[in-house]
Amino acid sequence: MRRRTWKTLTGAGLFLVTLGASMTLVSVGGAVARVEMSRPAGSQTTAGRSEAVAADGILPPQNPSESLAPSPNFTNDGDCAASALDDSVTCNSNVESAIDNARSTLEGMTGLSFNLNAFVAMSVPEQIFVITDVERTDRGLAPIAGLTTQLDNVAQSASTTNSDPDLTSSTLTGGATVESWGSIWAGGTSNPLGSDYYWMYDDGLDSPNGECTSSSTADCWGHRDVILGTFASTATCGSDAEQYMGTGDTADASSYGPSFTAIVVGACGPTPSDVVLTWAQAQQALDAGSGTTTTTTSTTTTSTSTTTSTSTTTTSTTTTTRPTTLTVPGAPEDVSAVSSVKRGVVVSWQAPASDGGAAITGYEIFRGRASGAEKLYTTVSCASSTCSYKKKYPSSMGKTVFFYTVAAVNEVGTGPTSGEVSARAR
């Protein structure tokens, strides 16, 4: 296979990327992303259309009519760190706004709807899995069933070499037969949401995707086709058809920053024995406001319930346990903001009624210059029942009205924000 090399000048850096003939190049605001569709013998060469009917949005083989550069432009508006992993609430909120705009503009869809604080509390590989399934389920597609150790290892290895994950095994752990798969890579984006934006919404004609040279080019929207594709169907597998995923990340794999990878595999057969996170568990973590899940190991019980049965009886037994599960704290109470006599603002609050079962370690202060536009401003350490934060502003900012909300933090994560308050800097 003849190899090809592209030079792409993006942002402040010049990057050389060498790709095989089956790959496409995407230069992304100081980053490079690429996709490879696997072609194992007897399997499909591109991601197939899902058997589900989309309730909203656009599904393969159709794609958006145009690419859309991010707005707000999280790559250079200052809310996200440049060429570095930035998984802060502030950066992710900025990217989420861009995704919401792209969904509305390109597909007439509503924006993302999940607990962002809980999402940020998850590990980076978990976030890649979650945003992939959110993109799928929001369009009426079946979610990818889960992450497996085998596929995570494949993806993680590729993230350290800035390359697409390459699955060499024809079976998954536990015996399921691999039907087909697709993998994607992005480098230099700030976090999984940033990678998702370029994979899903800016990968077509007139985008940084250098291989998409006309609207009919097969390489256009290749990343999106993997995320929304079907790699095993009931037509070939019957009821045993399922899709699994592996994800990986390396914070500084190259000169252009973080590296993110994902591989989606369609398989026929039993559930893999090395599943580490299911979509159901991820949903529970989001609902609980936590980035982790709790499992109780027992022959007959879990944190929800277990039903056991044998082939020689028609009855079943169910035992439910309710172990104590830590959650994020509640919202701070009695929040107030007053003007200070020395060109400042003092924000005060009471500890929330519930600490979520874990000691509160501090508070996040959100500030904005318009109502409802608050962004994370600073973090305050306070273990008392009554806390306050004072900020002195320069004379040039005198008479400026600032709006504030406050959120408590414990070892699980950040809780909901308080009601909004405001004060004018003297």
Side-chain angles (χ1 to χ4, degrees), residues 3 5 20 54 63 87 92 96 113 131 162 172 186 195 204 217 266 268 282 296 308-309 338 343 351 366 384:
R3 299 187 65 81
T5 301
N63 285 301
D87 210 18
N92 275 282
E96 182 181 12
S113 179
I131 188 57
N162 303 302
L172 299 183
S195 297
T217 302
C268 305
T296 303
T308 60
S309 63
V338 296
R343 295 201 308 270
F366 298 81
S384 304

Side-chain angles (χ1 to χ4, degrees), residues 52-93:
V53 177
D56 206 351
I58 300 171
L59 292 179
Q62 281 72 45
N63 285 301
S65 59
E66 61 179 338
S67 286
L68 188 67
S71 178
N73 189 350
F74 52 84
T75 60
N76 62 13
D77 64 4
D79 277 359
C80 296
S83 299
L85 179 65
D86 187 346
D87 210 18
S88 66
V89 173
T90 298
C91 178
N92 275 282
S93 179

